[in-house]
């Protein structure tokens, strides 16, 4: 939330640094004829786009008045203490809004995940472990199975329930290597079921994935994930 608040503050500082106050400032104009006018409009428009992208609730007239007062050297209509208080209140409102949205999204994702897994469990070839991890054997290799402390080399593709891809070693054009004790629980458990040379599909409940926190911009809270995984090799066997 500090980032959101600072976005407004930094944007204002950029405007103040780029423009020199004028004692006799002309009336606002929509003309975009001079380099100064075009630069000023472009900067303001970019600021507006960032505010929209960050869902900042800004009153355009009040914002413009604040910039104009600063550029003209007029005394602020709010004291430093009042500005600080409003910034803190804004942060609190945005934090509450984000938490509420995350809670709602998490509840929706959890319900969709439960329904998906319940139906998926009835499909031919889908098996489940005691933890709730579901998997399907696409092809079975004949190599060794890794232990939880092994480093493995894999190719994989991860998708959401709607089919959207959020990560893929195939897309990057090279396999990934990682320790099985350094990944989500669904992977740690699932890879130990796979002999080298196998390809499985994992259906991972949120509590075995990223839970209520989600991960990055694409994996929302309480998301059930699907991974296609090929176990290529055990790089560092456990001792």
């Amino acid at each position: 939330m500090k980032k959101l608040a600072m976005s407004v503050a930094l944007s204002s500082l950029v405007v103040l640094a780029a423009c020199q106050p004028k004692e006799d400032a002309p009336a606002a104009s929509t003309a975009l004829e001079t380099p100064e006018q075009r630069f000023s409009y472009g900067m303001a428009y970019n600021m507006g786009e960032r505010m929209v992208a960050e869902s900042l609730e800004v009153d355009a007239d009040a914002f413009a008045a604040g910039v104009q007062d600063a550029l003209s050297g007029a005394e602020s209509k709010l004291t430093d203490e009042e500005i600080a208080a409003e910034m803190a209140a804004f942060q609190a409102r945005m934090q509450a809004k984000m938490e509420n949205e995350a809670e709602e999204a998490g509840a929706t994702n959890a319900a969709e995940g439960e329904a998906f897994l319940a139906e998926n469990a009835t499909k031919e070839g889908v098996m489940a472990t005691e933890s709730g991890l579901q998997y399907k054997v696409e092809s079975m290799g004949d190599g060794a199975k890794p232990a939880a402390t092994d480093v493995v080399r894999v190719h994989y593709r991860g998708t959401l329930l709607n089919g959207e891809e959020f990560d893929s070693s195939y897309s990057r054009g090279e396999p990934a290597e990682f320790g099985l004790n350094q990944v989500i629980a669904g992977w740690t458990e699932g890879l130990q079921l796979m002999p080298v040379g196998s390809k499985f599909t994992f259906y991972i409940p949120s509590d075995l994935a990223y839970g209520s926190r989600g991960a990055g911009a694409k994996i929302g809270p309480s998301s059930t994930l699907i991974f296609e995984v090929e176990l290529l090799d055990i790089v560092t066997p456990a001792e």
Side-chain angles (χ1 to χ4, degrees):
M1 297 318 301
K2 291 182 179 180
K3 179 180 178 182
L4 293 176
M6 287 301 295
S7 174
V8 176
L10 290 174
S11 295
S12 298
L13 288 174
V14 169
V15 171
L16 294 176
C19 305
Q20 295 183 352
K22 299 179 180 178
E23 294 183 0
D24 298 320
S29 172
T30 56
L32 302 177
E33 299 172 354
T34 69
E36 182 181 31
Q37 288 172 332
R38 297 174 68 84
F39 167 77
S40 299
Y41 179 85
M43 176 175 287
Y45 192 88
N46 286 340
M47 288 170 57
E49 283 189 317
R50 289 198 298 273
M51 291 174 183
V52 171
E54 295 176 0
S55 300
L56 299 180
E57 298 177 356
V58 176
D59 184 294
D61 292 337
F63 184 84
V67 173
Q68 182 59 43
D69 284 349
L71 292 176
S72 66
E75 184 177 353
S76 173
K77 294 179 176 62
L78 297 175
T79 65
D80 290 344
E81 290 75 14
E82 288 174 326
I83 292 174
E86 291 301 330
M87 293 292 285
F90 166 78
Q91 291 181 36
R93 290 196 304 273
M94 291 300 294
Q95 181 67 34
K97 180 180 179 181
M98 291 179 66
E99 290 176 353
N100 183 60
E101 290 176 348
E103 184 175 344
E104 292 179 353
T108 298
N109 292 338
E112 291 178 350
E114 290 177 6
F116 170 83
L117 292 170
E119 179 181 358
N120 195 56
T122 66
K123 294 182 178 179
E124 183 178 357
V126 175
M127 293 173 279
T129 68
E130 291 185 4
S131 69
L133 172 69
Q134 295 182 1
Y135 66 96
K136 181 178 180 180
V137 178
E138 305 296 348
S139 60
M140 184 68 77
D142 56 6
K145 292 182 180 180
T149 53
D150 286 344
V151 175
V152 297
R153 180 182 296 116
V154 302
H155 256 317
Y156 69 93
R157 177 175 181 262
T159 59
L160 304 177
L161 294 184
N162 63 7
E164 179 184 355
E165 180 179 291
F166 58 82
D167 192 13
S168 173
S169 65
Y170 296 108
S171 296
R172 291 191 293 273
E174 60 180 359
E177 293 185 9
F178 50 79
L180 286 187
N181 57 2
Q182 299 174 333
V183 291
I184 58 175
W187 272 64
T188 302
E189 179 182 4
L191 266 292
Q192 292 180 77
L193 303 173
M194 300 178 67
V196 171
S198 301
K199 182 176 182 179
F200 283 22
T201 298
F202 295 125
Y203 309 93
I204 305 180
S206 65
D207 61 332
L208 298 178
Y210 296 98
S212 60
R213 69 186 185 279
K218 293 186 177 181
I219 302 176
S222 303
S223 291
T224 295
L225 306 177
I226 301 174
F227 284 96
E228 301 169 13
V229 183
E230 290 184 78
L231 179 55
L232 304 177
D233 196 10
I234 299 174
V235 180
T236 308
E239 296 181 357

